[in-house]
Amino acid sequence: MYQGGRVSWKSVRLELARSPEFPRGSASRAFLLRLPLCGDGSIDAAALDKNVNQAIVRRFWASDADQAGKISRLDGEWLLICSRAGASSTFVMQNDRLVVDQNITIVGPDAVALPFRVVSIEPISASPVAS
């Protein structure tokens, strides 16, 4: 865990990065995350555990209805658990650090790994509140 500074809650936007299917990437295929980040961009697991209901995810996909859910950690992996119409899907985020313009990998429920680019990281002005 990062020991060099203060943890703060951030809003992070991930957009589908370049891939064979999407050579230019796709802004209409994205995740919006709300989670606690340390100064180096690492996710603070202890702060997330203390405020588990504050760590949320929204999934925007051009061909699907939007999904919303929670972020959790299990066996060293970050899980983005999204639900829609009574069904849930789990996406696995394989990176522990989120830095603007960095690519990360997310594995979908179909076991397909896709690259996503960290497009923005914005501070959340007030303490997270229950949604």
Side-chain angles (χ1 to χ4, degrees), residues 10 33 111:
K10 305 285 186 177
L33 312 174

PDB file of all heavy atoms in Angstrom, residues 10 33 111:
ATOM      1  N   LYS A  10     -11.925   9.990  -5.587  1.00  0.00           N
ATOM      2  CA  LYS A  10     -11.838  10.533  -6.936  1.00  0.00           C
ATOM      3  C   LYS A  10     -12.903   9.923  -7.835  1.00  0.00           C
ATOM      4  O   LYS A  10     -13.385   8.819  -7.592  1.00  0.00           O
ATOM      5  CB  LYS A  10     -10.465  10.213  -7.562  1.00  0.00           C
ATOM      6  CG  LYS A  10      -9.270  10.666  -6.766  1.00  0.00           C
ATOM      7  CD  LYS A  10      -9.062  12.138  -6.860  1.00  0.00           C
ATOM      8  CE  LYS A  10      -7.755  12.500  -6.148  1.00  0.00           C
ATOM      9  NZ  LYS A  10      -7.451  13.901  -6.252  1.00  0.00           N
ATOM     10  N   LEU A  33     -15.769   5.378 -12.341  1.00  0.00           N
ATOM     11  CA  LEU A  33     -15.514   4.811 -11.022  1.00  0.00           C
ATOM     12  C   LEU A  33     -15.454   5.919  -9.981  1.00  0.00           C
ATOM     13  O   LEU A  33     -14.955   7.011 -10.259  1.00  0.00           O
ATOM     14  CB  LEU A  33     -14.166   4.068 -11.008  1.00  0.00           C
ATOM     15  CG  LEU A  33     -13.875   3.102 -12.143  1.00  0.00           C
ATOM     16  CD1 LEU A  33     -12.446   2.589 -12.031  1.00  0.00           C
ATOM     17  CD2 LEU A  33     -14.865   1.964 -12.136  1.00  0.00           C
ATOM     18  N   ALA A 111     -14.812 -13.448 -20.074  1.00  0.00           N
ATOM     19  CA  ALA A 111     -13.375 -13.738 -19.979  1.00  0.00           C
ATOM     20  C   ALA A 111     -12.551 -13.041 -21.063  1.00  0.00           C
ATOM     21  O   ALA A 111     -11.382 -13.361 -21.257  1.00  0.00           O
ATOM     22  CB  ALA A 111     -13.103 -15.236 -19.974  1.00  0.00           C
TER      23      ALA A 111
END
